Amino acid sequence: MSDALISPEVGITGIAIAAAVVAYHGFKLDKQEDMLQKLPLMGVMGAFVFVAQMINFAIPGTGSSGHIAGGLLLAVILGPSAAIIIISSILVIQALLFGDGGILALGTNIINMGIVPCFFIYPFVWKPIVAGNLSKKKVLIASCVSGMLAMTLGALGVVVETYVSGIAQIPFVNFVMLMIPIHVLIGLGEGLITSAVVWFALEQNMIHNAQLTQLTQRRISKSTMISALVGLMLPVIALTWFASSQPDGLEWSLEGSSAQLLEEQPATPVHEFTQSLQQSTTILPDYTFGGEAASETEEHIHYMSIAVIGSVIMVAVLSVISGGIYLRRRRQRLS
């Protein structure tokens, strides 16, 4: 969501809720017994989801496209507490460095893309369907059903937050009728991608087959980490070459509902401040180097290069977070 959809009241409320949830689960992650086993994968999975969000896949027959949110996938592999830390870090970096999503809307984006899948869909839909049996069939069914529900509830959150804000002129019924069906289809795509990555994680012994989201009790070996980097990062970076240029589900729904947004002229001083702040922090606007590429091939190369840069930034940020948790745990053991 951009700031053009959100009022200051809704935006600040969303930021407060998201900050409280992230802070609580940061402390909770620090106390988990298998925390040290999760740390090496946090950077890899964060980088993977960051790049995967750059790959819009076309929705046939609609003129729209979609990308995964990634919260469900992260919750399955690393658990909800680690997942919300990672997805929040991704959304903050996207907003500040790439101008993707608004700063005022950061809290609502974390709620829709992180809190909903991590703390509602994963524990109450994904886990009951799988029921402790991580067979390929159950993982596929659970991921597809959960992906569609997570995307639908997230889309409904966008609709409600926009409607309550009341600053964008959007025909409510038309917006709902476009947002929900297109995000059900996007959610199906998310489910298929989630199931494929979970299958890969199981084969690499990243997930304990008897206890969901519990990593193996031994420390993950270097060979496993290399397999994760090669098996996950190289394909997803290569796929950025084929990312669809069609508008995503939210943009498509706004266009189809004849929405009138207040992007050129900020609606309030708060909007003006967040817009100015974002302009000053953005270094690669809309995942470009600025200016126009000389050719389509050059444009693809630039986009792939930014995927690599973004993944390195994600690994660095999550390594700092993980390192802080590790050092804190080590001091507690020595004291």
Side-chain angles (χ1 to χ4, degrees):
M1 299 179 71
S2 69
D3 289 349
L5 298 176
I6 296 295
S7 69
E9 295 80 6
V10 172
I12 292 170
T13 301
I15 290 171
I17 293 171
V21 172
V22 171
Y24 171 77
H25 284 278
F27 287 114
K28 188 174 180 180
L29 177 64
D30 187 28
K31 297 178 185 298
Q32 291 179 359
E33 292 183 4
D34 66 338
M35 181 272 296
L36 294 179
Q37 284 73 36
K38 291 179 179 180
L39 294 183
L41 276 182
M42 285 181 64
V44 175
M45 292 307 304
F48 174 82
V49 171
F50 177 91
V51 178
Q53 287 188 7
M54 293 177 62
I55 305 172
N56 278 37
F57 49 86
I59 309 298
T62 66
S64 178
S65 66
H67 61 76
I68 73 168
L72 175 64
L73 170 61
L74 293 170
V76 171
I77 293 182
L78 292 168
S81 294
I84 194 64
I85 301 299
I86 295 171
I87 198 70
S88 299
S89 300
I90 291 171
L91 291 170
V92 168
I93 288 170
Q94 287 174 338
L96 291 178
L97 302 186
F98 299 91
D100 186 9
I103 292 177
L104 182 61
L106 188 57
T108 55
N109 284 329
I110 291 173
I111 292 171
N112 299 335
M113 298 176 67
I115 293 176
V116 168
C118 292
F119 303 113
F120 292 94
I121 301 303
Y122 169 69
F124 299 116
V125 180
W126 199 92
K127 285 184 73 173
I129 292 176
V130 171
N133 178 13
L134 293 177
S135 66
K136 284 192 174 183
K137 181 178 179 180
K138 282 203 169 187
V139 167
L140 177 62
I141 294 172
S143 297
C144 289
V145 171
S146 299
M148 288 189 287
L149 282 174
M151 275 290 179
T152 302
L153 288 178
L156 186 60
V158 172
V159 171
V160 171
E161 291 149 3
T162 301
Y163 177 73
V164 172
S165 292
I167 65 168
Q169 298 178 24
I170 301 174
F172 180 78
V173 175
N174 291 347
F175 192 37
V176 172
M177 296 302 292
L178 290 170
M179 277 287 284
I180 302 304
I182 197 66
H183 281 87
V184 169
L185 296 176
I186 295 171
L188 177 60
E190 169 135 15
L192 294 172
I193 294 168
T194 297
S195 61
V197 176
V198 172
W199 292 342
F200 174 83
L202 285 168
E203 289 178 358
Q204 297 299 319
N205 203 25
M206 297 177 193
I207 302 177
H208 196 289
N209 208 5
Q211 294 178 309
L212 300 182
T213 73
Q214 294 295 311
L215 299 175
T216 50
Q217 294 305 305
R218 60 179 175 77
R219 190 175 296 276
I220 296 176
S221 65
K222 289 183 179 180
S223 61
T224 299
M225 287 302 302
I226 292 173
S227 297
L229 283 169
V230 174
L232 290 175
M233 293 309 302
L234 291 185
V236 75
I237 289 173
L239 285 172
T240 59
W241 188 280
F242 305 98
S244 173
S245 60
Q246 293 177 337
D248 65 22
L250 176 56
E251 295 169 343
W252 179 83
S253 299
L254 289 170
E255 291 174 5
S257 61
S258 302
Q260 297 181 21
L261 306 184
L262 300 173
E263 290 184 321
E264 296 299 325
Q265 297 296 325
T268 68
V270 175
H271 285 87
E272 187 173 0
F273 170 75
T274 57
Q275 187 181 79
S276 175
L277 176 62
Q278 190 168 41
Q279 288 174 350
S280 66
T281 61
T282 299
I283 57 174
L284 296 170
D286 295 323
Y287 305 99
T288 67
F289 290 112
E292 295 184 2
S295 65
E296 185 176 349
T297 299
E298 186 175 304
E299 184 177 328
H300 286 309
I301 293 172
H302 286 180
Y303 200 62
M304 187 179 293
S305 300
I306 289 172
V308 174
I309 293 171
S311 64
V312 171
I313 292 172
M314 280 310 309
V315 170
V317 169
L318 291 170
S319 294
V320 170
I321 295 173
S322 299
I325 295 174
Y326 173 78
L327 291 175
R328 176 182 170 83
R329 178 69 65 87
R330 186 176 180 181
R331 283 197 300 267
Q332 288 176 343
R333 286 205 313 264
L334 294 175
S335 60

